[in-house]
């Protein structure tokens, strides 16, 4: 039984608790009954009219010291202006409200479009949404401030440590817009205050994606107005590439950050700034900032997002964060970070001698130390190449850029009316599925016997293999026949065997330890891609005709989700590209190491494996199509192929069985990675004209005649 002293302590704690306020609608009623405007009240409480508006419509809650003053004012008004049926001498008892979080941040839903949002006018009380995240039955946020969204409700965060989701978009009035329509009141007026508010009060962050990984640091996205409010320039000026621009070290904001004992990463204070202190125990102290007006969101990866309203930006980035990863820079950077997050390099394990927990290698990962490639896997400027004087050639595993020789076109093909382009959905992602790659350092072998199960680089002569000239060679990116011995990745050599040809490697660089490193990366991105397409009305259960119709309209169904889809696709391509990031900057000298080489994920051999498999997958389909239909492509560009067609639809030339089902082995329409969609349709004469000029119809099939002057 508790002692009297313990009971008194409990009662004192209740007395010291923050006062509960009336419901938002009652706050507005009391202010209007007193004849006080929101602006006048804001001035009295030393805050902004927008904050008062947020308190009265339930988007945010006041925080100390304003909370106590506001409570006192409302109590006084309640005694003077009681609600209908309440005695004047007694203030109305406020209805119970959910407990205030320890950060004093009670999120409120924000669901109506800007044009539909309730406003407070004289004699009219504001609506009072419940202080909780959006429930499935509530109306969805608009895709933009002008177009309503059609979407599934996003599931609430599963981790109680991060009740408000992974990120927020901060506007100039101090409103921080999070996922599911919540809005938090952020009082920060400096970057240092913003960092401390984010870590201590915001409730932002995301749980780790793997049991051995790390939690994602909270992301704060700054609008132009928010940047200015925090003392940052609205734009970064300079003659360098935008992505390389940084605040100078003597800028006031940088000085404030350093003075407060915070640190910036080596990339400094740029469009994506990471501000941190060394971790204390297991708690990370790090906040990521993204500044919209500094071009943090590339239009190619995030189409239209930077111009959206803050709540819509939060929705786009929030869905991406929940389905992929909290953005950490460009989509390419995020794609690479996702690989590490899904396959962390270390895990805790017991030390055999002391019995203490130590950091051990996580099987199937790339480890913690960078690894030099074999010379043929490197680039010409790499130290391994320059210091060894290597002159034995390099892997040339790149995506297709091939145009068929016009002289191989038959009269029947030339008389077909249309050229139809097919695009494979996230072809690199499809190639990453169940892809075995090397995990250890390469070993050098002379005269090895080829083994298609061992990932590596093989020096072999494939020039004797003769194939149909109406198809590109599977062994070179430009589709031309090899002229002698060259270095190839395992998948390319294995395909030569699959076609029935003998291969006798001269040399090889092979890796003894192997694994499907990219599998969890592939699985998460595939799910994100398919789920986002489904949000846009493109689902797996559609017929091919329905699929084509849905794809024609999907970008207009919900611009916000269309932007998420574009970001997912850019994450795939960018992440694969980052595996062989080249040196940047005019000051670089050949043979010097560059920063990317210091990370374990600089693995050009893994990039080569993905691209080799994707190109071989494309050629296998081209070959099967020729066998099944007698059709040959006009051009191929990476994951896009153009065919001559009797009609303006892929349905006019794709192979189907008598049952109506697609024939296996060829191109198939559908919404999953590796299946095809319509890229574009043009007249056959248009395609032939481009081919005669040496241009690639697959590059321009989407754009029409306007591209004829665009040289390649």
């Amino acid at each position: 039984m508790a002692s009297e002293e313990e009971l008194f302590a409990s009662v004192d704690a209740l007395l010291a608790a923050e006062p509960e306020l009336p419901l938002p609608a009652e706050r507005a009623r009391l202010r209007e009954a007193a004849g006080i405007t929101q602006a006048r009240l804001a001035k009295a409480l030393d805050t902004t009219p927008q904050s008062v508006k947020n308190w009265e419509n339930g988007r945010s809650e006041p925080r100390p010291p304003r909370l106590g003053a506001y409570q006192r004012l409302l109590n006084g008004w309640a005694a003077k202006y009681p609600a209908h049926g309440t005695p004047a001498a007694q203030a109305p008892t406020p209805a119970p409200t959910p407990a205030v979080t320890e950060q004093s941040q009670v999120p409120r839903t924000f669901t109506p479009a800007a044009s539909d949002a309730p406003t407070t006018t004289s004699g009219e009380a504001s609506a009072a949404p419940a202080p909780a995240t959006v429930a499935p039955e509530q109306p969805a946020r608009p895709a933009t401030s002008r177009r309503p969204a059609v979407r599934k409700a996003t599931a609430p965060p599963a981790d109680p440590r991060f009740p408000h989701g992974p990120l927020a978009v901060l506007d100039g009035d101090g409103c921080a817009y999070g996922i599911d329509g919540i809005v938090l009141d952020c009082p920060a007026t400096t970057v240092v205050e913003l960092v401390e508010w984010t870590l201590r009060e915001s409730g932002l962050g995301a749980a780790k994606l793997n049991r051995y990984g790390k939690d994602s640091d909270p992301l704060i996205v700054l609008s132009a107005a928010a940047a200015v409010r925090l003392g940052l320039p609205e734009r970064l000026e300079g003659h360098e590439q935008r992505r390389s621009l940084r605040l100078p070290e003597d800028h006031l904001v940088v000085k404030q950050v350093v003075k407060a004992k915070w640190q910036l990463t080596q990339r400094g204070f740029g469009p994506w700034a990471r501000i941190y202190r060394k971790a204390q125990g297991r708690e990370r102290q790090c906040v990521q900032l993204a500044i919209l007006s500094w071009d943090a969101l590339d239009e190619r990866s995030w189409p239209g997002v930077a111009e959206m309203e803050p709540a819509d930006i939060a929705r786009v980035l929030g869905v991406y964060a929940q389905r992929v990863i909290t953005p950490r820079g460009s989509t390419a950077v995020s794609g690479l970070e996702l690989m590490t997050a899904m396959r962390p390099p270390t895990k805790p394990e017991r030390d055999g001698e002391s019995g203490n927990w130590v950091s051990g290698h996580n099987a199937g990962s790339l480890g913690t130390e960078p690894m030099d490639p074999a010379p043929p896997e490197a680039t010409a400027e790499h130290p391994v190449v320059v210091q060894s004087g290597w002159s034995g050639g390099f892997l040339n595993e790149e995506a297709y850029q091939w145009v068929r020789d016009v002289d191989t076109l038959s009269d029947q093909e030339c008389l077909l009316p249309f050229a139809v382009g097919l695009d494979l959905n996230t072809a690199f992602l499809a190639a990453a599925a169940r892809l075995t790659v090397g995990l250890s350092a390469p070993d050098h072998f002379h005269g090895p016997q080829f083994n298609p199960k061992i990932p590596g680089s093989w020096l072999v002569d494939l020039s004797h293999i003769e194939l149909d000239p109406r198809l590109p060679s599977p062994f070179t990116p430009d589709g031309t026949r090899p002229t002698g011995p060259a270095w190839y990745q395992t998948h390319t050599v294995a395909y030569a065997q699959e076609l029935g040809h003998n291969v006798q490697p001269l040399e090889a660089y092979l890796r003894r330890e192997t694994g499907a490193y990219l599998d969890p990366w592939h699985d998460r991105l595939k799910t994100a891609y398919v789920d986002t397409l489904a949000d846009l009305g493109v689902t797996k259960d559609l017929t091919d005709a329905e699929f084509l119709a849905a794809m024609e309209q999907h970008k207009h169904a919900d611009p916000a989700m269309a932007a998420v889809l574009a970001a997912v696709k850019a994450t795939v391509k960018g992440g694969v590209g980052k595996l062989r990031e080249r040196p940047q900057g005019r000051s670089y000298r050949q043979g010097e190491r560059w920063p990317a080489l210091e990370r374990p994920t600089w693995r050009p051999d893994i990039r080569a494996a993905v691209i080799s498999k994707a190109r071989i997958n494309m050629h296998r389909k081209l070959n099967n199509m020729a066998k099944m239909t007698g059709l040959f492509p006009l051009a191929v560009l990476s994951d896009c192929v153009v065919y001559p067609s009797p009609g303006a639809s892929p349905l006019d030339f794709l192979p189907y069985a008598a049952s109506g089902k697609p024939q296996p082995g060829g191109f198939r329409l559908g919404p999953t990675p590796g299946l095809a969609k319509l890229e574009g349709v043009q007249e056959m004469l248009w395609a032939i004209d481009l081919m005669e000029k040496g241009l690639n119809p697959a590059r321009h099939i989407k754009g029409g005649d306007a591209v004829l002057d665009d040289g390649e």
Side-chain angles (χ1 to χ4, degrees), residues 163-174:
H164 301 153
L167 55 86
V169 180
L170 182 63
D171 208 357
D173 59 4

Side-chain angles (χ1 to χ4, degrees), residues 399-401 421-429 569 573 614 618 635-642 667 675-677 679 698:
Y400 268 133
Q401 294 192 53
L422 291 176
D423 180 72
L424 296 185
N425 302 322
T426 55
F428 290 166
L429 185 61
K569 293 191 287 187
K573 283 193 174 182
M618 171 66 82
V636 184
L637 181 71
S638 187
D639 49 10
C640 177
V641 56
V642 178
F667 293 102
L675 298 187
K677 60 181 180 291
E679 178 72 2

Side-chain angles (χ1 to χ4, degrees), residues 236 242-243 245-246 269-273 289-292 294-296:
L236 275 181
R242 178 68 57 187
R243 65 182 179 183
L245 290 177
R246 302 288 182 268
F269 205 121
W272 289 88
L289 302 182
I291 304 168
L292 293 174
W294 294 7
D295 298 332

Side-chain angles (χ1 to χ4, degrees), residues 386-452:
V386 175
Q387 294 170 10
S388 67
W390 173 262
S391 59
F394 300 95
L395 280 175
N396 189 24
E397 298 289 10
E398 301 294 341
Y400 268 133
Q401 294 192 53
W402 171 80
V403 180
R404 185 172 156 191
D405 188 343
V406 178
D407 293 338
T408 66
L409 292 175
S410 67
D411 292 341
Q412 290 83 356
E413 288 176 311
C414 292
L415 291 175
L416 290 172
F418 295 103
V420 177
L422 291 176
D423 180 72
L424 296 185
N425 302 322
T426 55
F428 290 166
L429 185 61
R434 298 180 297 281
L435 176 67
T436 301
V437 300
L439 301 177
S440 55
D443 292 323
H444 192 193
F445 298 88
H446 291 276
Q449 182 178 356
F450 178 69
N451 186 334

Side-chain angles (χ1 to χ4, degrees), residues 128-290:
T133 53
V134 175
E137 66 272 18
Q138 290 195 335
R141 278 292 293 136
T144 69
S145 60
R146 296 172 295 280
R147 184 187 298 274
V150 179
R151 69 178 177 102
K152 302 174 184 175
T154 306
D159 196 314
R161 297 173 300 158
F162 311 116
H164 301 153
L167 55 86
V169 180
L170 182 63
D171 208 357
D173 59 4
C175 291
Y177 297 83
I179 62 170
D180 297 325
I182 66 171
V183 184
L184 304 174
D185 187 19
C186 176
T189 57
T190 68
V191 169
V192 171
E193 290 177 357
L194 175 62
V195 170
E196 293 175 347
W197 172 84
T198 302
L199 292 174
R200 297 174 185 174
E201 302 183 33
S202 71
L204 296 173
K208 55 194 176 186
L209 299 179
N210 181 285
R211 61 183 297 193
Y212 301 130
K214 299 176 181 177
D215 295 333
S216 287
D217 299 318
L219 168 65
I220 301 293
V221 181
L222 304 180
S223 69
V228 172
R229 181 187 183 194
L230 297 173
L232 297 167
E234 183 174 347
R235 301 286 299 179
L236 275 181
E237 302 298 336
H239 300 292
E240 303 175 43
Q241 291 183 347
R242 178 68 57 187
R243 65 182 179 183
S244 64
L245 290 177
R246 302 288 182 268
L247 281 183
E249 293 184 2
D250 60 354
H251 191 278
L252 178 60
V253 170
V254 177
K255 289 182 176 180
Q256 290 173 342
V257 169
V258 174
K259 184 177 180 181
K261 308 296 185 186
W262 292 98
Q263 299 181 55
L264 292 165
T265 58
Q266 289 185 349
R267 62 184 178 182
F269 205 121
W272 289 88
R274 188 175 290 274
I275 303 175
Y276 71 99
R277 283 179 182 151
K278 290 186 178 180
Q280 296 180 352
R282 299 180 64 181
E283 294 296 322
R284 288 173 60 82
Q285 296 188 83
C286 184
V287 175
Q288 176 89 48
L289 302 182

Side-chain angles (χ1 to χ4, degrees), residues 458-523:
W458 309 79
L459 180 63
V460 61
D461 190 350
L462 302 178
S463 62
H464 63 283
I465 300 177
E466 187 169 350
L467 300 172
D468 194 309
R470 293 171 293 181
L471 290 176
S473 167
F475 311 125
T476 59
D478 62 4
T480 59
R481 184 172 174 173
T483 57
W487 289 95
Y488 301 99
Q489 202 275 336
T490 297
H491 283 90
T492 304
V493 184
Y495 188 58
Q497 266 193 348
E498 181 183 321
L499 294 174
H501 302 280
N502 185 37
V503 293
Q504 295 179 329
L506 306 173
E507 288 183 63
Y509 285 90
L510 309 176
R511 289 170 167 79
R512 300 180 187 275
E513 185 182 344
T514 64
Y517 170 70
L518 292 175
D519 260 10
W521 181 81
H522 161 271
D523 293 348

